[in-house]
Amino acid sequence: MYQNPNHRLLNQTCIVTGASSGIGKHVALAMGRDCANVVVNYISDPVTAEEVAHEIEVSDDIAKAMTFKADVSKEDQVQAMFKAAVERFGTVDILVANAGLQRDAPLHEMTLAQWQTVIDVNLTGQFLCAREALREFIRRGKRPDVSCALGKIIHMSSVHEVIPWAGHANYAASKGAIVMLMQSIAQEYAPIGVRANSIAPGAIQTPINRDAWATPEALEHLLKLIPYNRIGQPSDIGAAAVWLATDESDYINGTTLFVDGAMTCYPGFSTNG
Ligand code: BGC
């Protein structure tokens, strides 16, 4: 049976929101490979969430996994998820606030519902999960045998925390706000040992952006925005998330790690300007 010899997250528990598909799924799998216990949060697809949990348990005989259905934008459901995680695994050491969605529209046609849904899930959801994580870190206290930090919060942001995005203003606004949420948490809770950071993925091949890579023409168009000339894979984000959760990155606090193949390096200026 394959086991990661590093065991970097042994005896730690990680909640990954939106973990039944896409980036969240691969973050959950990667956490499990490094021996973390994983709570696989999902909202609509219990079957795929169970498959992720099963894959974690069969690929590593130490890591344990459970699934939990919760809408991250609902306070009571987030609280129930943390309670269930603590009951099953004793505590929570790592939160990956990943659940997110898009409801795209030109701004003059955007409905309040499209705006609100994106803000509720992408921003309020990350607030609610981070708040419960902080409460659990404080309740539990430091465990120097497992980590230097009191706890780790990883916000899933986007290159659109810095790249404006026409036709997606609700999404870009939600991700722009994540910067200040994350940095304010770091400033407020680093003194007691919390690490809060973000990952800003570029174009990662997942269902959320299928239109951007599903045809050769779309992919060719997309690659013009990616100097490294390949679309990202969810496993690229999984590897970054695990590293941000380990003590290898212990001095990294209050920052955003861009995992984007240089998408944020203004590729349009490579032959111009
Ligand atoms: C969005 C994707 C998009 C990528 C790069 C992500 O945050 O969810 O739809 O392809 O940013 O633009």
Side-chain angles (χ1 to χ4, degrees):
M1 179 176 295
Y2 170 78
Q3 275 193 1
N4 187 330
N6 291 324
H7 289 191
R8 290 177 295 179
L9 300 173
L10 191 63
N11 293 326
Q12 297 192 54
T13 295
C14 176
I15 293 182
V16 184
T17 65
S20 60
S21 73
I23 287 174
K25 169 181 172 176
H26 286 267
V27 168
L29 293 175
M31 293 287 177
R33 277 197 298 273
D34 252 290
C35 296
N37 298 317
V38 185
V39 178
V40 178
N41 161 256
Y42 69 98
I43 177 74
S44 58
D45 196 345
V47 175
T48 53
E50 283 301 335
E51 283 168 7
V52 174
H54 179 71
E55 200 174 326
I56 290 169
E57 295 206 341
V58 298
S59 67
D60 183 292
D61 61 7
I62 298 174
K64 298 275 170 268
M66 63 181 271
T67 60
F68 198 91
K69 178 181 165 92
D71 176 343
V72 295
S73 70
K74 300 285 188 303
E75 186 175 36
D76 56 341
Q77 296 183 32
V78 170
Q79 289 178 332
M81 175 170 65
F82 274 78
K83 189 164 177 286
V86 172
E87 273 167 17
R88 170 80 196 272
F89 296 124
T91 189
V92 175
D93 303 275
I94 302 153
L95 165 69
V96 184
N98 166 77
L101 45 73
Q102 291 180 210
R103 293 288 182 270
D104 308 328
L107 194 74
H108 69 285
E109 290 172 3
M110 190 176 287
T111 62
L112 179 57
Q114 286 172 321
W115 171 268
Q116 199 69 58
T117 301
V118 170
I119 298 299
D120 283 352
V121 174
N122 295 13
L123 181 58
T124 307
Q126 294 213 15
F127 154 67
L128 288 171
C129 291
R131 189 187 64 177
E132 291 314 306
L134 289 165
R135 288 175 174 172
E136 174 55 20
F137 299 163
I138 291 165
R139 181 199 69 78
R140 180 241 305 143
K142 268 203 175 173
R143 296 199 299 154
D145 51 319
V146 298
S147 178
C148 305
L150 179 66
K152 283 89 53 164
I153 296 174
I154 299 169
H155 296 274
M156 202 56 70
S157 182
S158 164
V159 290
H160 298 295
E161 73 168 47
V162 294
I163 302 178
W165 206 13
H168 309 73
N170 46 359
Y171 184 86
S174 74
K175 297 301 185 181
I178 290 297
V179 181
M180 283 297 118
L181 174 63
M182 176 275 288
Q183 292 191 342
S184 299
I185 291 172
Q187 192 191 61
E188 194 168 348
Y189 294 97
I192 61 165
V194 174
R195 290 201 295 122
N197 293 291
S198 295
I199 295 175
I204 308 298
Q205 192 166 16
T206 69
I208 205 173
N209 58 1
R210 182 178 300 281
D211 289 351
W213 51 263
T215 65
E217 299 73 36
L219 185 60
E220 189 188 342
H221 188 66
L222 176 67
L223 290 179
K224 292 196 174 84
L225 298 175
I226 309 172
Y228 202 46
N229 211 32
R230 76 164 170 89
I231 191 167
Q233 294 304 316
S235 54
D236 292 318
I237 307 302
V242 169
W243 180 71
L244 269 185
T246 68
D247 284 354
E248 290 171 17
S249 60
D250 187 55
Y251 206 52
I252 297 181
N253 206 344
T255 199
T256 299
L257 177 60
F258 285 82
V259 184
D260 69 350
M263 188 180 231
T264 34
C265 294
Y266 298 96
F269 275 77
S270 62
T271 54
N272 235 320

